[in-house]
Amino acid sequence: MKVRWGILAGGLVVVGGLLAVLASGFGGTTQGVSNNLLGRPAPPFAMEVLGERETIVRTAALTGAPVVLNFWSTWCQPCVLEHPHLLAAAQEFGPRGVKFYGVLYNDEPQKAERFLAEKGQGFPVLHDPLQRVAIDYGVTGVPETFVLDKEGRIAHKFIGPVSVGELQAVLRPLL
Amino acid sequence: MSSLPNPALLRTLLLGAVLVAALVAGGPSVAAPTDPPAADRVGVASDPAALGLAEPPALAPPDPETAKAEAERIADGLRCPVCQGLSVADSNADAAVAMYARIAELVRLGYSQEQIEDYFVDRYGEWVRLDPPVEGLHWLLWVAPALLAVVGAAAIALRARGQAPTPARPPAGTPTSGGAPAAAASAGEGADPADRHRAAVLAALGEDGR
């Protein structure tokens, strides 16, 4: 059979190009592809502390110390798994000045209060009823954890459950 | 027993139909137009820096009707973060409803489509656009189909021209460029396989004594 080199070469160029595009796409993840907020000042917020309606935490008050901001909910199993890790990290880094806050994501405050009473609470949990703050931080699901440096910039973002070891690695250089 | 339908049943059916029609008409709208102004809520601030936006609104606050249409349009182009290929406007997921509320709020404050899209791209990456910009190697995805069509058409045209009978072609028996065998060489001078086939058929009919 006669080989038509011109057609073959043209086909290879087109197919090769498409494969290159696909290969570049397969390198990334489909969600949370980038977070342009990294290194930038954390979006400001003012949220009520769960169970203390009069207490409002504002970002303005958070500078001067690293902050761990953990978005979670009681219906999210990975959040349940990471809870003891967050408690341990808060126990280790709380006395060294790091402030820990949970942010309740798309959940009922009563359920969260029951959960914390049962599993232990090592830091305040803030209420974000309209998920306003979650959107400001680009949260796509829970759990997601943000670490802010002393200047209030976003130093790190964890997507999915976080362990004590991972938090230690990120927090130690920020102290 | 009467064959007429029960009037009570008819009334119920009619009411159901009206309700369904009303639901369908107002269906996908997930806006919360009764939200209080931004500055009145905890968790929300009114100045641009506190809103997490670098600039003040580019436009004057629109009237409610325009704002609703604009919010729908912007929500149509943004991806619901927890869905598979659904826009914020098309999804009823909590995250999409919250995003829609945020879009509607920013539109009401006078933020432009570009500013609002930039706000979401900053947080979720280019991925949040349902129609991402053509950059990098992505242009190939747009160009390749047209290129294939042009190359294919050219190949078909070239092939058709190569097979067309030409006066300069040598007579019977010479293989054509397509490599067709000279099976019907005895049928005469036609170089085209169809002509030769016709000649062969006529010859066969002739051999039958007709």
Side-chain angles (χ1 to χ4, degrees), chain A residues 30-31 40 46 106 132 136, chain B residues 43-44 94 102 119 123 127:
Chain A
T30 54
Q31 294 210 342
R40 285 173 39 182
N106 193 20
R132 279 290 316 273
D136 267 354
Chain B
V44 179
D94 289 324
R102 187 72 164 127
Y119 163 86
R123 280 145 185 84
W127 167 87

Side-chain angles (χ1 to χ4, degrees), chain A residues 4 14 17-18 20-21 30-31 33-34 36-37 40 44 46-48 56 105-106 130-132 135-136 138-140, chain B residues 41-44 49-51 81-82 94-95 98-99 102 105 119-125 127 137 140-141 159:
Chain A
R4 293 165 194 277
V14 172
L18 289 173
V21 172
T30 54
Q31 294 210 342
V33 176
S34 65
N36 298 348
L37 293 180
R40 285 173 39 182
M47 287 186 280
E48 280 174 1
I56 291 172
Y105 178 89
N106 193 20
L130 298 168
Q131 298 174 53
R132 279 290 316 273
I135 289 174
D136 267 354
V139 172
T140 55
Chain B
R41 291 203 309 260
V42 167
V44 179
L51 277 167
V82 295
D94 289 324
M99 273 175 80
R102 187 72 164 127
E105 179 191 357
Y119 163 86
F120 282 100
V121 168
D122 264 355
R123 280 145 185 84
Y124 294 95
W127 167 87
L137 268 177
L140 203 61
L141 291 174
R159 196 183 162 88

Side-chain angles (χ1 to χ4, degrees), chain B residues 43-98:
Chain B
V44 179
S46 55
D47 67 289
L51 277 167
L53 288 142
E55 312 153 355
L59 315 164
D63 65 86
E65 276 302 304
T66 318
K68 191 173 183 323
E70 176 76 353
E72 285 280 348
R73 204 160 58 79
I74 296 171
D76 255 341
L78 292 174
R79 189 187 297 272
C80 155
V82 295
C83 315
Q84 295 292 329
L86 272 184
S87 76
V88 168
D90 288 337
S91 169
N92 285 324
D94 289 324
V97 172

Side-chain angles (χ1 to χ4, degrees), chain A residues 120-163:
Chain A
Q121 179 172 8
F123 45 85
V125 171
L126 312 174
H127 190 30
D128 181 22
L130 298 168
Q131 298 174 53
R132 279 290 316 273
V133 179
I135 289 174
D136 267 354
Y137 279 76
V139 172
T140 55
V142 279
E144 282 190 20
T145 305
F146 293 78
V147 179
L148 280 53
D149 65 16
K150 286 180 183 170
E151 284 77 40
R153 289 186 301 254
I154 294 180
H156 200 86
K157 175 185 180 182
F158 294 100
I159 296 177
V162 66
S163 69

